[in-house]
């Protein structure tokens, strides 16, 4: 079981790793298993910190992604946390 410090650190580590993957994607197809492993590990860390990341998971049958598709997936996760951290309200407000 994770202690409080470890559980608070997991999202930070995950987001740093996601940013590193995003910043090191090749220009076309992503064929480097290490990038997918780092991405999957980051999502595992977020799940351990009780964050639902199921919509961003790759299915086991997915082949290589194009870098733009992979970057969009990572950007969505990073934007989610940016919005959450800033407690940005989304939608119509009175």
């Amino acid at each position: 079981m994770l202690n409080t410090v470890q559980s608070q650190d997991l999202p930070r580590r995950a987001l740093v790793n996601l940013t590193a993957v995003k910043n090191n994607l090749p220009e076309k197809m992503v064929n480097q298993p290490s990038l997918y492993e780092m991405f999957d590990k980051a999502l595992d860390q977020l799940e351990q910190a009780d964050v639902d990341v199921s919509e961003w998971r790759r299915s086991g049958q997915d082949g290589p992604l194009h870098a733009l598709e992979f970057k969009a997936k990572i950007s969505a996760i990073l934007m989610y946390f940016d919005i959450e951290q800033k407690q940005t309200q989304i939608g119509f407000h009175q």
Side-chain angles (χ1 to χ4, degrees):
M1 182 163 204
L2 298 174
N3 65 37
T4 304
V5 174
Q6 288 172 320
S7 64
Q8 290 173 347
D9 192 46
L10 282 174
R12 283 186 285 245
R13 288 178 181 276
L15 297 177
V16 166
N17 286 330
L18 288 171
T19 301
V21 171
K22 181 180 173 187
N23 291 342
N24 289 288
L25 290 174
E27 292 194 24
K28 296 188 179 188
M29 296 304 288
V30 180
N31 292 308
Q32 296 87 341
S34 60
L35 293 175
Y36 292 114
E37 289 166 10
M38 198 170 185
F39 175 80
D40 291 338
K41 181 179 178 182
L43 294 188
D44 291 344
Q45 290 171 319
L46 290 171
E47 280 188 345
Q48 288 176 359
D50 292 327
V51 177
D52 179 13
V53 293
S54 57
E55 69 186 89
W56 296 301
R57 286 262 184 211
R58 295 178 342 107
S59 79
Q61 299 170 0
D62 286 349
L65 296 175
H66 191 281
L68 292 175
E69 184 180 358
F70 203 11
K71 189 177 281 192
K73 189 179 287 276
I74 295 170
S75 291
I77 299 167
L78 297 174
M79 282 188 267
Y80 172 81
F81 279 94
D82 188 48
I83 289 169
E84 175 135 328
Q85 183 180 28
K86 293 177 183 175
Q87 297 181 350
T88 303
Q89 294 184 359
I90 299 174
F92 297 100
H93 306 284
Q94 294 182 350

